[in-house]
Amino acid sequence: MQEQKILALIDNIISVKPMFYKTLGKPVPMSSDITPGAYYALMYLKKHDMFSMSDLGKMLQISKPNVTALVNKLIAKGFVIRSSDKLDRRLIMIRLSAKGSQFIEKNNKKYFEQIKSKLQTLSDEELESFSISLQNVKDTLLKISIADINELKN
Amino acid sequence: MQEQKILALIDNIISVKPMFYKTLGKPVPMSSDITPGAYYALMYLKKHDMFSMSDLGKMLQISKPNVTALVNKLIAKGFVIRSSDKLDRRLIMIRLSAKGSQFIEKNNKKYFEQIKSKLQTLSDEELESFSISLQNVKDTLLKISIADINELKN
DNA sequence: AATAATAGTTCTACTTTTGTAACTATTATA
DNA sequence: TATAATAGTTACAAAAGTAGAACTATTATT
């Protein structure tokens, strides 16, 4: 890819980031039952099934002490399960509990309505192309994210 | 658009938001010369040229007292210019100064390298399609954002 | 002219996020 | 076995974001 096109792409990445974060409403506090950061953690766990504390921190880009604090809160709420790896007892694996999974699904539904109303300004064609593009963006980010976490492991 | 496809779209929106925010590195502190929120404000001003205090707050989704505090900091740094609207003297219009514009351009370039390294895991074809999709997502978000701000005006 | 509405400010307190340093337990290395 | 490296925790501090209430100045409404 040409250098110039890459620069344009990165410019788009930079400028779309805050838009993405802000345009479609607040992250996800709503119930105030949980902090946005904790909600993100639950979403990652829902997508990726299981993480060690360290890898969860890498995904969320937060430091280890913060992972501990965050996971403690999620455990206190029963949203997450802690289990130590038997092969390497240093590792503590975190996964979603049934309660945590239900919580996310229920809350996301509430959040749906909020976003849905914002989408009403778009035509049917715009919705279609937005949908396809977003899927592509998501897949790409996921790929970058996974490549990134693997690199950090080595 | 079918209800089911819309639900899938929204699900993607929700799950891609935290990815977008986190996957590609920290928002934009870097120099620590400015907070991420203030940086976002500068980016909005770069795109939209001019905002009243209230509209800026709506774009950034922050309350009026916080707009004041944020803009004060930006003015102290000389990144932004304050001017009152002559037709409606209640309005205070904010726009980027030359210094602010230069600051953003310079800092974005630094940020480029960080993102560029993350993109190296992608093939040329993936970069191309990512680029196109992202442009579409950006345009769509911008459209939603503008529709939203106009609605709030009425 | 009186009243209501809007734009912005000030003051204040609170939540959320974030980072650093020192520590324990376990595993890998030499 | 001694040492280094890794995973996670604890304790503390500080930055950043957020919001409510009361206030001034200006414009719109009646």
Side-chain angles (χ1 to χ4, degrees):
Chain A
M1 202 177 188
Q2 311 165 31
E3 180 71 8
Q4 201 178 352
K5 285 186 90 173
I6 291 182
L7 293 183
L9 166 60
I10 295 179
D11 187 60
N12 270 345
I13 289 174
I14 292 179
S15 64
V16 86
K17 269 178 68 181
M19 292 170 63
F20 221 104
Y21 189 62
K22 295 285 187 180
T23 300
L24 297 160
K26 291 279 155 152
V28 250
M30 3 203 58
S31 66
S32 91
D33 206 31
I34 204 177
T35 65
Y39 200 93
Y40 289 158
L42 293 179
M43 297 207 62
Y44 272 111
L45 287 168
K46 190 164 183 62
K47 297 290 169 189
H48 294 270
D49 212 59
M50 203 175 200
F51 274 119
S52 70
M53 297 289 280
S54 291
D55 285 348
L56 185 56
K58 284 170 191 164
M59 287 301 286
L60 298 170
Q61 302 228 341
I62 63 181
S63 63
K64 287 197 291 178
N66 297 329
V67 179
T68 300
L70 193 156
V71 167
N72 281 345
K73 285 179 197 163
L74 290 177
I75 285 174
K77 291 208 171 297
F79 287 165
V80 135
I81 294 168
R82 205 178 209 138
S83 59
S84 58
D85 189 304
K86 287 172 186 174
L87 294 180
D88 185 342
R89 283 186 300 176
R90 290 173 301 182
L91 293 178
I92 292 182
M93 305 306 289
I94 306 298
R95 65 179 193 279
L96 226 50
S97 70
K99 186 180 174 188
S101 187
Q102 285 161 18
F103 171 80
I104 273 233
E105 280 172 24
K106 188 181 165 195
N107 253 71
N108 276 357
K109 276 179 190 168
K110 289 185 198 169
Y111 197 36
F112 271 31
E113 291 309 313
Q114 182 179 329
I115 293 181
K116 208 170 169 182
S117 72
K118 301 222 174 194
L119 295 179
Q120 281 174 348
T121 176
L122 301 177
S123 73
D124 223 58
E125 286 174 7
E126 287 170 327
L127 276 176
E128 290 282 359
S129 91
F130 182 49
S131 184
I132 292 169
S133 294
L134 189 61
Q135 181 69 49
N136 186 15
V137 168
K138 181 186 165 189
D139 291 343
T140 306
L141 289 178
L142 192 58
K143 185 166 187 182
I144 293 173
S145 163
I146 289 174
D148 217 44
I149 215 176
N150 286 334
E151 186 183 318
L152 286 172
K153 269 184 182 171
N154 306 333
Chain B
M1 200 177 187
Q2 310 166 33
E3 179 71 8
Q4 201 177 352
K5 285 185 90 174
I6 292 182
L7 294 183
L9 167 60
I10 296 179
D11 187 59
N12 270 346
I13 289 174
I14 292 180
S15 64
V16 86
K17 269 178 69 182
M19 293 170 62
F20 220 105
Y21 188 62
K22 295 285 187 180
T23 301
L24 297 160
K26 290 279 155 155
V28 250
M30 5 202 57
S31 66
S32 92
D33 207 28
I34 204 177
T35 66
Y39 200 93
Y40 289 159
L42 292 179
M43 296 208 62
Y44 272 112
L45 288 168
K46 189 163 184 63
K47 296 291 167 188
H48 295 270
D49 212 59
M50 204 173 199
F51 275 119
S52 71
M53 296 289 281
S54 292
D55 285 349
L56 186 56
K58 284 170 191 163
M59 287 300 287
L60 298 171
Q61 301 227 341
I62 64 181
S63 63
K64 286 197 292 178
N66 296 328
V67 179
T68 300
L70 193 157
V71 167
N72 282 344
K73 286 178 196 163
L74 290 177
I75 286 174
K77 292 206 171 295
F79 287 164
V80 135
I81 294 167
R82 205 179 210 137
S83 59
S84 57
D85 189 303
K86 287 171 186 174
L87 294 180
D88 184 344
R89 283 187 300 175
R90 292 173 299 183
L91 294 178
I92 293 182
M93 305 306 289
I94 306 298
R95 65 178 193 281
L96 226 48
S97 70
K99 186 180 174 189
S101 187
Q102 285 162 17
F103 171 80
I104 274 232
E105 281 172 23
K106 188 181 164 194
N107 252 72
N108 277 356
K109 277 179 189 169
K110 288 186 199 168
Y111 198 34
F112 271 31
E113 292 308 315
Q114 182 179 328
I115 293 180
K116 208 171 170 183
S117 72
K118 301 223 174 195
L119 296 180
Q120 282 174 348
T121 175
L122 300 177
S123 73
D124 223 60
E125 286 174 7
E126 287 170 328
L127 276 175
E128 289 283 359
S129 92
F130 182 48
S131 183
I132 293 169
S133 295
L134 189 62
Q135 182 68 48
N136 186 15
V137 167
K138 180 186 165 189
D139 292 343
T140 306
L141 290 177
L142 192 59
K143 186 167 188 181
I144 293 173
S145 162
I146 289 173
D148 216 45
I149 215 174
N150 286 335
E151 186 183 319
L152 286 172
K153 269 184 182 169
N154 304 332

